[in-house]
Amino acid sequence: MTAPAVPVTAGDRVRQAVFFGGVVPASDNEERLAEEVGMALAGAGFELLHGGYNGLMEAAARGAAAKGGTVTAVTLADRHAEWGGFNPHITGEVRLPDLGSRLNHYLDRADLVVAMGGGIGTLHELTAALYYAGNIRPVPVWLTGPTALGLLAFLRREKWLFETETRPLGFLIPIASAAVFATQLRDLTRPTEGEA
């Protein structure tokens, strides 16, 4: 059994990473990447929040669980029965009344948002995170995996997403691999001068 991860704190609370990923992975490689992302996050002491269901969410939860991490499912109260049971790696749950409450729960708590491929639900979550990070609070948003990176390239090429002086995109980081993810995570969690 793996020892529990040491929590990374943000002030007086454990840091939380929100994971947006779909129920149908594009490939076995994408699923493996999601599991490695979950392992890295838990290994760095992050609590993982996501929908709680299968596919990429389950792979990330499996990775987090392998490192002793906490995985909280955030779902809609009136849809849970329809959407099915949570994956077996969930350690806690939050059931909310509507999509707005669910997105606000994720984004208001996020110290990091990680997005991979998915369906229209994942696209909705990601665009909400991009708007939030660009206009409300500059939480880091990391896109990884071929599907999410392809979407990012499309959004930039078609000018759905572009940087201006008043709308910087420094919060948005494309991540090409699990190794790059681990390096970025180390940089993100490295204590700044004056922190112990």
Side-chain angles (χ1 to χ4, degrees):
M1 181 172 174
T2 303
V6 176
V8 175
T9 60
D12 61 346
R13 65 176 182 80
V14 172
R15 286 189 184 172
Q16 297 181 323
V18 175
F19 178 88
F20 296 137
V23 297
V24 181
S27 68
D28 290 343
N29 288 338
E30 188 175 49
E31 186 172 353
R32 196 167 23 262
L33 177 59
E35 186 169 353
E36 291 170 345
V37 163
M39 290 170 55
L41 290 167
F46 281 83
E47 176 185 1
L48 183 64
L49 280 72
H50 65 44
Y53 297 103
N54 54 2
L56 293 176
M57 290 175 281
E58 182 171 356
R62 182 171 54 246
K67 292 290 187 178
T70 300
V71 183
T72 300
V74 182
T75 193
L76 295 177
D78 65 347
R79 295 290 179 174
H80 181 62
E82 178 184 333
W83 290 347
F86 292 133
N87 72 65
H89 311 289
I90 298 302
T91 57
E93 63 183 71
V94 175
R95 297 181 189 209
L96 296 165
D98 55 61
L99 283 175
S101 298
R102 184 173 182 246
L103 281 171
N104 287 333
H105 185 86
Y106 281 136
L107 298 174
D108 290 343
R109 285 162 180 73
D111 295 295
L112 171 64
V113 174
V114 178
M116 292 186 69
I120 197 71
T122 304
L123 181 61
H124 177 245
E125 293 163 341
L126 172 58
T127 55
L130 292 173
Y131 183 85
Y132 184 92
N135 295 283
I136 308 299
R137 180 174 61 94
V139 61
V141 177
W142 295 359
L143 277 72
T144 190
T147 306
L149 293 176
L151 174 63
L152 178 59
F154 170 80
L155 293 173
R156 286 185 164 161
R157 184 178 61 246
E158 298 299 322
K159 304 285 189 239
W160 287 87
L161 188 60
F162 56 92
E163 190 163 29
T164 67
E165 198 172 295
T166 59
R167 302 259 171 134
L169 295 177
F171 64 85
L172 181 59
I173 307 290
I175 306 284
S177 67
V180 172
F181 187 92
T183 298
Q184 287 287 105
L185 194 56
R186 273 192 304 277
D187 291 346
L188 180 69
T189 58
R190 181 175 294 134
T192 58
E193 196 172 310
E195 290 182 342

